[in-house]
Amino acid sequence: MREGKEATREDIARKARLFGLPWHRPTVGQIEQGKRGVSAPELLLLPLIYSTPLRDLLPGPGETTWLTDEIAVEGRELRRLLDEGYNPGETPAPGPWHYAGIVRKARQVRQVLRGRYEELPWGAESAYVASPDEAETKAAKRLDTTPEYVAYTARELWGRGLTEERDARLAERPDPPTTPRALQAARGHITRALLDELAPAIREHEKRRDKPRPSNKIVKDEQGVVHFMRENGGGSG
């Protein structure tokens, strides 16, 4: 932009100083080479310094700019930031915005879920997979199973964890305990009843724990339509 106006770096620095910016020729060079960022006031003054709309000074379509080490934005979206009413929401959706952290997070989630699924029978529904809490970990010892089985089965049966279900049933009692000792006793009584409900469901799951997990293969039918088929012959869509 500067060269197109046949201006030198010193010309730009001199004009910037008229607006109170402590710029010198090396300052302009560092900004042009990407070695120095600009502050918010400097950014807003660029149109005056270069006699050019701010939009034209931003990266254009097809260019991607890393704003921080964690997020980059496409040039087209970057220019849209200047549009009236632009609102990307609290968390802009991946697309024109690129998150370095999302990739790392997705990998971590996959690793965690893979580890949890290894503790569950194949066919476990992802909606019920959760990290066991302290109560579920203790219950696992009493039921001679894994915390993952307790956490999964609790959510499968009641739609929530063991602790939440215990507290919900306690709140439903017509005679709520009024002393700490009575509260502890009531919780213990409800927990034992909940474990009795969990035990048979957990045993059913454990029967499938060591069952071979079927793998999928890709096949084409006579019309050339691709299907994912289980190795044992069952279709998966």
Side-chain angles (χ1 to χ4, degrees):
M1 189 68 68
R2 173 180 61 78
E3 292 173 347
K5 295 180 178 297
E6 298 183 351
T8 65
R9 291 178 176 174
E10 181 57 39
D11 293 334
I12 296 297
R14 187 181 303 112
K15 194 170 183 180
R17 289 196 294 271
L18 292 176
F19 302 117
L21 298 178
W23 284 18
H24 299 280
R25 183 181 59 79
T27 309
V28 179
Q30 291 174 346
I31 294 174
E32 290 180 350
Q33 296 167 21
K35 296 180 179 179
R36 178 190 183 281
V38 295
S39 65
E42 290 173 334
L43 179 67
L44 297 177
L45 286 172
L46 288 182
L48 298 179
I49 297 172
Y50 286 89
S51 301
T52 301
L54 180 57
R55 182 184 300 273
D56 294 342
L57 294 171
L58 298 176
E63 299 182 64
T64 298
T65 301
W66 283 95
L67 303 178
T68 68
D69 291 339
E70 292 296 321
I71 188 168
V73 61
E74 293 179 0
R76 188 185 307 277
E77 191 74 6
L78 187 60
R79 294 188 176 199
R80 286 187 59 218
L81 288 171
L82 303 179
D83 293 341
E84 183 178 357
Y86 176 83
N87 181 11
E90 295 182 1
T91 308
W97 296 88
H98 307 285
Y99 294 88
I102 277 184
V103 176
R104 295 195 301 270
K105 186 65 176 178
R107 290 173 180 168
Q108 293 172 359
V109 169
R110 283 197 298 269
Q111 291 175 353
V112 170
L113 288 178
R114 186 180 299 115
R116 292 176 186 169
Y117 273 114
E118 289 176 354
E119 296 295 331
L120 296 171
W122 69 265
E125 297 184 36
S126 59
Y128 304 136
V129 178
S131 297
D133 61 19
E134 183 178 357
E136 290 163 346
T137 301
K138 292 180 178 179
K141 295 180 180 179
R142 296 174 62 178
L143 295 174
D144 191 25
T145 186
T146 67
E148 286 77 14
Y149 266 72
V150 176
Y152 179 87
T153 308
R155 285 158 181 81
E156 183 184 43
L157 289 179
W158 308 313
R160 51 193 169 195
L162 178 60
T163 301
E164 292 178 286
E165 181 65 17
R166 180 202 65 193
D167 292 343
R169 296 195 185 188
L170 181 62
E172 294 172 355
R173 291 185 56 165
D175 54 339
T178 57
T179 65
R181 186 171 182 178
L183 177 61
Q184 183 179 7
R187 285 177 174 170
H189 176 76
I190 294 174
T191 298
R192 287 190 292 273
L194 293 177
L195 296 188
D196 289 340
E197 295 179 24
L198 285 173
I202 289 176
R203 300 308 171 221
E204 287 298 317
H205 284 319
E206 288 181 332
K207 290 179 181 179
R208 297 185 290 130
R209 182 175 184 175
D210 299 325
K211 183 177 180 180
R213 300 170 186 259
S215 57
N216 293 333
K217 62 180 179 180
I218 300 176
V219 297
K220 285 186 178 181
D221 61 19
E222 296 178 355
Q223 287 73 39
V225 178
V226 175
H227 298 270
F228 292 89
M229 304 293 294
R230 295 201 185 283
E231 293 290 358
N232 60 9
S236 60

